Amino acid sequence: MNTHYRLFITPLLLFWFATAIAQPDDTEAIQAFATEMQKRHGMESSQIEALLLKDAEYRQDIIDAITRPAEALPWHRYREIFVTQERIEKGVDFYQTHQDILSRAQAEFGVPPEIITAVIGVETFYGRYRGRYRVIDALRTLGFSYPSRQDFFQRELEAFLLLSAEEGFNPAEPKGSYAGAMGVSQFISSSYRAYAVDFSKSGQRDLFSDMADAIGSVANYFAEHRWQAGESVALPARVEGDAWQTLLMPGLQKPQHTVADLRGAGVIFDKMLADELAVRLLELEGESKSEYWVTFENFYTITRYNHSPLYAMAVFQLAEAIKEASQ
């Protein structure tokens, strides 16, 4: 009997020790955060402590997920996730189902229906996959146990708690991505507060179940980040010689070269463009060789939604495919 008892309890003890080691002690940091929320916003610190320390959970799988984002993949693998025949077909369905709302959003904000559709298609497969992590768990985990970006995620936690009070929802309920993005359009909390709109005129900004609000909010986000109505996003290009390599820019800088600069460096593209137009040369990792693109201000605007050129290119190509299939 004693032997069986020892065999039964040992795995439990091992699990307990593993959990204790894996989960950092964030109690003091959370208490300090709660005190600051009371000072700055008048929110009851004891309620915030109870929410974060008793209800919210540290999730190691969230830490694991944020360290291996899809944007770290090469372009050809990233593209095959988001620019698929099924996503194009479902995008056409979404486009047709919500055509009136999309047209109204274009009229008000200047953003084409296919771009709005593609953003929602890439983010949540048109609302089908909105995330499996509780937002409060994601923000607690990343805000207090992810040192490289904990300041950012503590600000997002602050915004989330304020948002829940403003919009009248229980902060323990919403689910979203491992980074705390939520709703059909996957807005982080600060973006929700700043850019979400009540496009359905219901009296509430609801990105979880109101498709009109989700569509209008994406359009408003792009407009606020200087989307240029009627202008191009990207153009395929070819390169000759070696001079073009000096024009490649790291990171997500705005277009800093001109069409004349690119042409002079051996970049070739099949469209007449004004010499003084601001552009950027982008090189992407194709399956067998590099792809070259001339990108414009609107491409940069898409990267304000998700800070990745791969994301922006996936949205652009999905949008173009949906537009073509809808005609």
Side-chain angles (χ1 to χ4, degrees):
M1 183 173 179
N2 288 339
T3 302
H4 287 296
Y5 178 77
R6 285 197 299 271
L7 290 174
F8 173 74
I9 198 67
T10 299
L12 293 179
L13 287 172
L14 289 174
F15 174 80
W16 185 88
F17 283 123
T19 303
I21 293 171
Q23 180 169 339
D25 185 0
D26 52 13
T27 302
E28 289 188 6
I30 286 175
Q31 289 172 337
F33 172 85
T35 299
E36 189 65 21
M37 287 293 290
Q38 181 165 324
K39 289 179 181 178
R40 294 179 60 183
H41 305 293
M43 304 183 82
E44 183 58 52
S45 61
S46 60
Q47 293 179 2
I48 295 174
E49 286 185 28
L51 173 67
L52 294 176
L53 291 173
K54 296 180 180 179
D55 195 343
E57 298 178 347
Y58 169 84
R59 296 279 300 266
Q60 180 61 40
D61 55 343
I62 288 173
I63 298 293
D64 296 339
I66 203 169
T67 58
R68 53 172 190 273
E71 285 75 17
L73 296 171
W75 162 241
H76 65 92
R77 288 186 58 196
Y78 187 90
R79 184 186 190 280
E80 68 188 14
I81 296 172
F82 296 108
V83 189
T84 64
Q85 188 59 39
E86 183 183 11
R87 209 172 292 245
I88 294 167
E89 291 173 357
K90 296 299 183 184
V92 172
D93 292 342
F94 184 94
Y95 188 108
Q96 294 173 344
T97 299
H98 303 289
Q99 189 168 14
D100 290 345
I101 301 171
L102 289 163
S103 296
R104 184 159 61 91
Q106 182 178 24
E108 184 167 338
F109 300 107
V111 184
E114 65 272 13
I115 290 289
I116 301 170
T117 299
V119 167
I120 293 174
V122 169
E123 291 290 347
T124 61
F125 209 121
Y126 313 105
R128 185 185 302 181
Y129 305 118
R130 306 183 189 190
R132 61 187 180 87
Y133 303 96
R134 286 199 309 167
V135 175
I136 195 66
D137 292 340
L139 296 179
R140 173 194 166 159
T141 299
L142 298 172
F144 301 100
S145 303
Y146 189 55
S148 64
R149 297 194 68 194
Q150 70 179 23
D151 290 345
F152 170 80
F153 284 109
Q154 283 187 26
R155 290 194 299 271
E156 287 304 310
L157 176 58
E158 176 183 12
F160 179 66
L161 295 175
L162 293 172
L163 177 68
S164 68
E166 292 162 356
E167 300 299 331
F169 62 78
N170 182 345
E173 292 180 354
K175 290 186 177 181
S177 74
Y178 60 78
M182 62 193 119
V184 172
S185 49
Q186 291 291 279
F187 274 24
I188 58 174
S189 301
S190 58
S191 293
Y192 200 132
R193 296 187 72 218
Y195 305 113
V197 294
D198 178 16
F199 209 53
S200 66
K201 310 301 181 186
S202 67
Q204 184 179 23
R205 301 179 302 170
D206 179 7
L207 301 186
F208 297 99
S209 57
D210 191 322
M211 196 59 73
D213 285 4
I215 288 170
S217 296
V218 171
N220 182 53
Y221 188 99
F222 274 45
E224 291 290 333
H225 288 80
R226 301 184 179 182
W227 178 268
Q228 298 179 356
E231 298 299 321
S232 299
V233 176
L235 186 69
R238 306 182 302 280
V239 295
E240 289 183 345
D242 298 318
W244 59 269
Q245 296 180 25
T246 63
L247 301 183
L248 292 173
M249 299 188 302
L252 291 170
Q253 301 174 42
K254 297 184 68 175
Q256 296 179 5
H257 297 114
T258 66
V259 167
D261 292 334
L262 267 60
R263 284 202 181 104
V267 181
I268 304 165
F269 38 91
D270 299 327
K271 187 175 182 179
M272 293 296 296
L273 299 171
D275 284 348
E276 66 276 11
L277 184 63
V279 292
R280 176 182 176 177
L281 178 63
L282 179 65
E283 182 180 16
L284 296 176
E285 186 179 348
E287 188 169 4
S288 58
K289 60 181 181 180
S290 292
E291 296 180 17
Y292 300 95
W293 293 83
V294 177
T295 65
F296 304 92
E297 291 284 351
N298 281 345
F299 186 90
Y300 178 77
T301 294
I302 298 175
T303 68
R304 301 304 85 201
Y305 205 98
N306 180 309
H307 294 181
S308 165
L310 304 188
Y311 174 87
M313 187 58 71
V315 166
F316 168 66
Q317 292 192 7
L318 180 59
E320 291 293 285
I322 291 169
K323 182 179 180 179
E324 181 178 353
S326 298
Q327 294 175 347

